[in-house]
Structure formats: structure tokens, C-alpha cells
Amino acid sequence: QVQLVESGGGLVQAGGSLKLSCVASGRTFSSYAMGWFRQAPGKEREFVAAISRSGGRTYYADSVKGRFTISRDNAKNTVYLQMHSLKPEDTAVYYCAAQTDPVPYYRDSRRYDYWGQGTQVTVSS
């Protein structure tokens, strides 16, 4: 059983930066692929970024590539999302998620098994 808790959201101006953290419970964190997704009001949940269990591979949505960086620290059971050059269209609730499949489908929200409660990111103009 895995519990995920996000933190670090807030209100920032366009062009600013924010770093999100997600802390996982359990003893098998390093066995999970981890992802970040976001959902704005009235919109579908959207893939943002994902990282392999060892951290050796990362994946990004085209909309955030070059601006966001996903990383993980398995010793701390934590995955991060560093966000730079934020835009108003980045405004959403951001969720971290864990996937237990040994052959992950990183970009597919339906394949993730555990989800955090979300943290609000608001980017003002």
C-alpha cells in the first residue's frame, strides 16, 4: 500500500518558478515509475512528466519540455517537479502518481495505481 503526498504548490507570476515535491510511503518506492499529471477546471487530466524507477529515463509533455524537470531521490522516497518559466496555462491541480507495472506506460494516467491528493498551482499574468 502506497500513500503519496504532494506539496509546494502556490501562486506565482508568469515567468516564475516553483518546485513541487511528492513523498511516498512504503518500502518499495524505488520499484515504481513515478509521474506528474495536472488537471485544470473543466479539462481532462493531462500528462506532465514521468521518471523511471531508477531515475535514468524521463519523459515530458511537449507543452512543458524545456521548462519543467522531473527528478527523484529514492533514499528520501521523493519525486520532484521543478517548474521554470511558468505560464498562465500551467495553472492546474498537480498530482503525483505511482505505477507498479514492471513495464510502465509512462504517459497513460490509466496505468498508474496510486495517486496523491494534488497541490494547486496558479500562475497569474
Side-chain angles (χ1 to χ4, degrees):
Q1 193 75 316
V2 177
Q3 293 193 53
L4 306 173
V5 180
E6 303 97 332
S7 63
L11 174 64
V12 297
Q13 292 190 326
S17 298
L18 210 57
K19 188 173 185 178
L20 308 182
S21 299
C22 173
V23 179
S25 66
R27 300 174 60 250
T28 56
F29 176 75
S30 63
S31 297
Y32 308 142
M34 298 294 297
W36 286 97
F37 294 79
R38 66 189 183 187
Q39 188 166 23
K43 299 184 68 176
E44 295 288 319
R45 188 186 305 110
E46 175 187 27
F47 169 77
V48 177
I51 189 166
S52 63
R53 60 186 184 179
S54 68
R57 290 175 290 167
T58 58
Y59 307 85
Y60 297 94
D62 288 343
S63 59
V64 307
K65 191 172 296 183
R67 300 188 297 122
F68 292 8
T69 301
I70 188 171
S71 61
R72 68 191 296 163
D73 186 341
N74 287 345
K76 296 181 178 179
N77 274 25
T78 303
V79 63
Y80 305 94
L81 186 68
Q82 177 67 65
M83 305 183 291
H84 295 297
S85 302
L86 284 161
K87 306 174 181 180
E89 52 262 45
D90 295 318
T91 295
V93 176
Y94 283 69
Y95 299 91
C96 71
Q99 185 172 160
T100 60
D101 196 328
V103 185
Y105 290 74
Y106 291 102
R107 291 177 166 87
D108 188 351
S109 66
R110 298 170 298 180
R111 304 306 296 267
Y112 285 79
D113 304 292
Y114 303 99
W115 292 84
Q117 83 289 347
T119 186
Q120 177 70 49
V121 172
T122 302
V123 184
S124 65
S125 59

